[in-house]
Amino acid sequence: MSGCTQNKTQTSEVSESTVEQSTETSDSIAEETAEETAEDATLRETKFGPVQGYIDEENQTLEWMGVPYAKAPVGELRWKAPQDPDTWAEPFDASTGGNLGMQVSNGEVTGSEDCLNLDIYRPNTEETGLPVVVYIHGGNNQSGTSLEVSGETLANDANCIFISLNYRLGVFGFNCLPALKSDDTSEASGNYTLLDIAKSLDWVRENIGEFGGDAENVTVSGFSAGGRDVMALLISPLFEGKFDKAISFSGGMTLADTDASVKTIAKALAPLAVEDGMKATEEEAKAWLESEDTEVADYLYSLSAERLTKVMTNAGIRMSVFPHLYTDGTVIPKEGFEITAYNSVPLLMLTGTSEFSFFALGDSYFAEAYGDGSLFTDETKFAEYTFAKKYGSLLYELVNAQDSAQIMGDNYKAAIYTCAVPWGDDAEVVGDMANLGAFHGIFVPFIDTNNKTYQAMFPDQYASEGAQDLGKQFRACLANFLRSGDPNGEGLTEWEAWSKEEAGKTLVLDADKEKAKIEMQDRTISYDDVISQMEQNNTISEEAKTTIIQQVLNGRWFSGKLDEHFDNVSLWAE
């Protein structure tokens, strides 16, 4: 009996062990199968080789990060047009972000010259023929990253493919010194960042079908400097046929004269040349750097990326500190936006209504009071800040949308849609956030609900029912625009296209605490109106007003007529 019992026990133990092993084997096979399925879902073949992305389970998107669209612009390619990347056979690991461009961040040099890469987001579906939006990040073309806006929200809510770029920044992306010019007319422009963007759009046309995108429905978009780059693409013959629609978020028209830019860049680099013993004085070095001497090119190519990155920082939306987007006559026409042959595609332009608030806070005139916390409690200083914010923002708003539309109006052959975002200005709705108002970037959490910058600053305000409703409706408008070039659709406020007859009429995106408040409004205002208001304003002393006009508002993107009217000193290098 005992022996029989023992045998049964052993048999039972063997059976349980076998079952456990079988279960573990099945689980292992299931896990491997799931991993293989995930790999298959994100394995794509590009013109240059296969790329392996990943599935973002939380956001229900497929993502490919840091995919190279061009060869690293290093060594002899530092100031050359971007070249095709070398081909590869094994799957490229696109599960982590790519290098960002060389830049100064928090006082430290970061990034890489090897930065020509892009990120791709799409819904986790098998649908093909999706509209494509290509995003150019902000940062004055001197800083920033493709991760500024992540694409999960728009990919799902607009059912599109969202692509975000890294590209050359600072003096690597814009450098028009004569010694660097080559026989290639596009390279001779010095607008290397625009050449990078053109290369990325070529990559999209050639490859996005493999990711389920419609290569014939590409919208180019950008924020801040990226938005200004988008506006420049509209006048560049290099970009004819490279995109089908355009969105400029807080962009506007800003260009730089090539000759004036040469002087500024040479002046900025002259101390390095003296330090390295190339010339005895900065004046001699500046003159040498402005020349076509081949030794200048040799010297510039020999400089370390770190040293070059440190020049012309802290531009503070002043072209005179870091000039870019040169009217070279090749990539950008010499006549700038006063041309007759635009790359006319459906265009959407957005502006916040307090765009200058961050830039006022960053100015030395307000920085100390802002830093020690007294700016918003000291009545005198707060009144001065309010003056700068109000009039700087009105002028910024004009540049971002209304003035740009009027300049293009007679010669632009496609629909233009403008919108203003005052949400954030009303303290009854957003509380202390109103000190900054509808700031530069106010829209970002409406298109990227995972945003870790602006949303993190004001989590409660963006989480309100009104803000959530506003974001949902705005994304619906964008979804319509990405598909058809028309933002209108069922259940949405009618968004009338801009017209010369009603130039100030625009869609206003606002909300109270409970719901969105979206309507067409006439926000007509002229540059002369703003200057007149400034002169009549008596909320601050005349001394403070003069200082703010001459030192805080001067030389900005929007300051041309202001500087002329008040006879402000030019900030451009002589």
Side-chain angles (χ1 to χ4, degrees):
M1 287 288 294
S2 62
C4 195
T5 302
Q6 184 179 5
N7 287 340
K8 285 183 179 180
T9 302
Q10 289 176 341
T11 302
S12 175
E13 290 174 352
V14 170
S15 298
E16 290 173 3
S17 175
T18 302
V19 169
E20 288 175 1
Q21 291 177 4
S22 176
T23 301
E24 291 174 359
T25 301
S26 298
D27 290 344
S28 177
I29 292 172
E31 289 175 3
E32 291 177 2
T33 302
E35 290 176 1
E36 291 173 359
T37 301
E39 288 181 358
D40 291 342
T42 62
L43 183 62
R44 296 290 191 274
E45 190 67 40
T46 76
K47 176 182 176 182
F48 306 106
V51 294
Q52 182 78 68
Y54 65 99
I55 299 176
D56 185 333
E57 298 287 358
E58 180 180 355
N59 293 295
Q60 287 301 295
T61 50
L62 307 181
E63 302 180 12
W64 297 264
M65 312 298 285
V67 178
Y69 62 83
K71 184 179 293 186
V74 298
E76 63 182 14
L77 296 180
R78 174 178 277 177
W79 286 295
K80 299 294 183 183
Q83 307 296 309
D84 284 345
D86 295 330
T87 58
W88 60 86
E90 293 300 315
F92 176 87
D93 181 5
S95 62
T96 57
N99 296 328
L100 62 157
M102 294 294 300
Q103 59 193 273
V104 174
S105 177
N106 296 320
E108 299 294 328
V109 174
T110 186
S112 171
E113 286 191 82
D114 179 7
C115 61
L116 304 187
N117 60 77
L118 49 81
D119 304 331
I120 306 169
Y121 307 76
R122 64 150 293 149
N124 188 6
T125 67
E126 296 182 359
E127 188 173 351
T128 59
L130 299 177
V132 181
V133 56
V134 177
Y135 180 82
I136 307 166
H137 68 74
N140 197 45
N141 283 317
Q142 289 182 290
S143 63
T145 165
S146 63
L147 300 178
E148 173 181 85
V149 170
S150 62
E152 294 95 353
T153 301
L154 269 188
N156 285 315
D157 289 9
N159 197 31
C160 70
I161 292 182
F162 184 94
I163 299 173
S164 188
L165 308 178
N166 283 311
Y167 52 91
R168 279 178 280 188
L169 299 170
V171 74
F172 303 100
F174 292 98
N175 190 340
C176 58
L177 291 182
L180 296 177
K181 293 183 177 180
S182 69
D183 293 334
D184 184 322
T185 54
S186 63
E187 285 182 348
S189 76
N191 291 304
Y192 303 104
T193 288
L194 295 190
L195 303 188
D196 294 344
I197 296 170
K199 190 68 171 175
S200 74
L201 291 173
D202 290 341
W203 187 97
V204 170
R205 290 287 203 206
E206 294 171 348
N207 295 284
I208 204 59
E210 291 293 325
F211 298 81
D214 181 356
E216 300 304 316
N217 188 3
V218 176
T219 300
V220 64
S221 68
F223 165 50
S224 191
R228 295 187 295 106
D229 293 344
V230 167
M231 299 301 290
L233 308 191
L234 297 176
I235 61 174
S236 172
L238 180 67
F239 286 85
E240 183 179 0
K242 291 188 185 295
F243 56 93
D244 308 290
K245 292 177 288 297
I247 302 174
S248 175
F249 296 110
S250 302
M253 297 175 169
T254 55
L255 302 172
D257 175 77
T258 301
D259 292 339
S261 299
V262 166
K263 293 179 181 179
T264 296
I265 296 169
K267 183 177 181 179
L269 292 172
L272 298 184
V274 173
E275 184 179 328
D276 293 337
M278 304 305 294
K279 296 295 175 181
T281 68
E282 290 188 12
E283 279 301 311
E284 292 177 342
K286 179 176 176 292
W288 177 63
L289 289 164
E290 290 176 14
S291 75
E292 297 183 4
D293 190 336
T294 56
E295 290 186 1
V296 172
D298 293 339
Y299 171 67
L300 293 175
Y301 273 96
S302 74
L303 288 171
S304 71
E306 182 173 5
R307 294 178 74 197
L308 285 167
T309 302
K310 293 178 180 179
V311 302
M312 296 184 290
T313 57
N314 301 318
I317 64 171
R318 286 187 170 102
M319 191 70 82
S320 57
V321 178
F322 171 58
H324 51 283
L325 299 171
Y326 316 119
T327 52
D328 61 285
T330 301
V331 174
I332 299 179
K334 287 189 178 298
E335 60 270 41
F337 290 98
E338 302 290 344
I339 64 169
T340 57
Y342 283 87
N343 295 320
S344 297
V345 298
L347 169 64
L348 190 156
M349 293 187 288
L350 173 146
T351 182
T353 54
S354 296
E355 291 271 356
F356 192 62
S357 58
F358 280 142
F359 301 102
L361 293 177
D363 191 273
S364 59
Y365 187 80
F366 297 108
E368 182 177 349
Y370 179 54
D372 65 23
S374 65
L375 179 61
F376 300 132
T377 57
D378 183 316
E379 289 186 10
T380 300
K381 206 66 178 177
F382 184 65
E384 294 172 358
Y385 163 72
T386 300
F387 178 94
K389 182 185 77 168
K390 177 179 180 179
Y391 297 113
S393 295
L394 281 171
L395 295 176
Y396 212 150
E397 180 180 343
L398 277 171
V399 167
N400 283 344
Q402 187 183 132
D403 275 5
S404 294
Q406 288 179 318
I407 290 171
M408 294 186 290
D410 289 335
N411 298 304
Y412 204 78
K413 307 305 180 186
I416 298 173
Y417 297 92
T418 63
C419 66
V421 185
W423 182 81
D425 286 339
D426 188 346
E428 292 187 5
V429 176
V430 298
D432 289 345
M433 177 181 171
N435 288 330
L436 293 174
F439 51 75
H440 192 64
I442 190 72
F443 74 97
V444 171
F446 297 143
I447 67 170
D448 175 15
T449 58
N450 296 321
N451 182 262
K452 300 299 189 295
T453 304
Y454 304 103
Q455 194 162 356
M457 293 170 61
F458 303 105
D460 294 338
Q461 289 87 341
Y462 278 108
S464 71
E465 292 181 8
Q468 291 293 304
D469 186 29
L470 179 57
K472 181 178 179 180
Q473 292 196 46
F474 183 49
R475 291 193 296 277
C477 290
L478 290 179
N480 294 331
F481 184 79
L482 296 179
R483 282 194 300 271
S484 67
D486 184 340
N488 291 291
E490 185 177 352
L492 299 172
T493 301
E494 183 181 0
W495 191 338
E496 300 173 30
W498 179 89
S499 70
K500 191 173 183 179
E501 294 71 29
E502 297 181 288
K505 199 170 184 181
T506 188
L507 188 75
V508 172
L509 302 171
D510 203 354
D512 57 26
K513 291 182 179 180
E514 288 78 33
K515 62 182 183 304
K517 297 166 60 179
I518 302 176
E519 61 181 358
M520 293 296 297
Q521 288 183 9
D522 186 350
R523 292 181 61 86
T524 301
I525 190 169
S526 72
Y527 215 113
D528 290 339
D529 291 337
V530 179
I531 290 177
S532 178
Q533 289 181 27
M534 293 171 69
E535 290 180 322
Q536 295 174 40
N537 187 298
N538 59 5
T539 60
I540 62 176
S541 70
E542 286 299 315
E543 181 182 4
K545 183 189 296 188
T546 299
T547 301
I548 290 169
I549 288 171
Q550 294 181 346
Q551 297 181 19
V552 180
L553 298 177
N554 67 319
R556 309 285 185 169
W557 309 145
F558 51 75
S559 300
K561 293 179 183 178
L562 178 142
D563 289 336
E564 182 179 350
H565 180 85
F566 291 103
D567 198 26
N568 286 341
V569 175
S570 173
L571 301 178
W572 284 87
E574 294 296 328

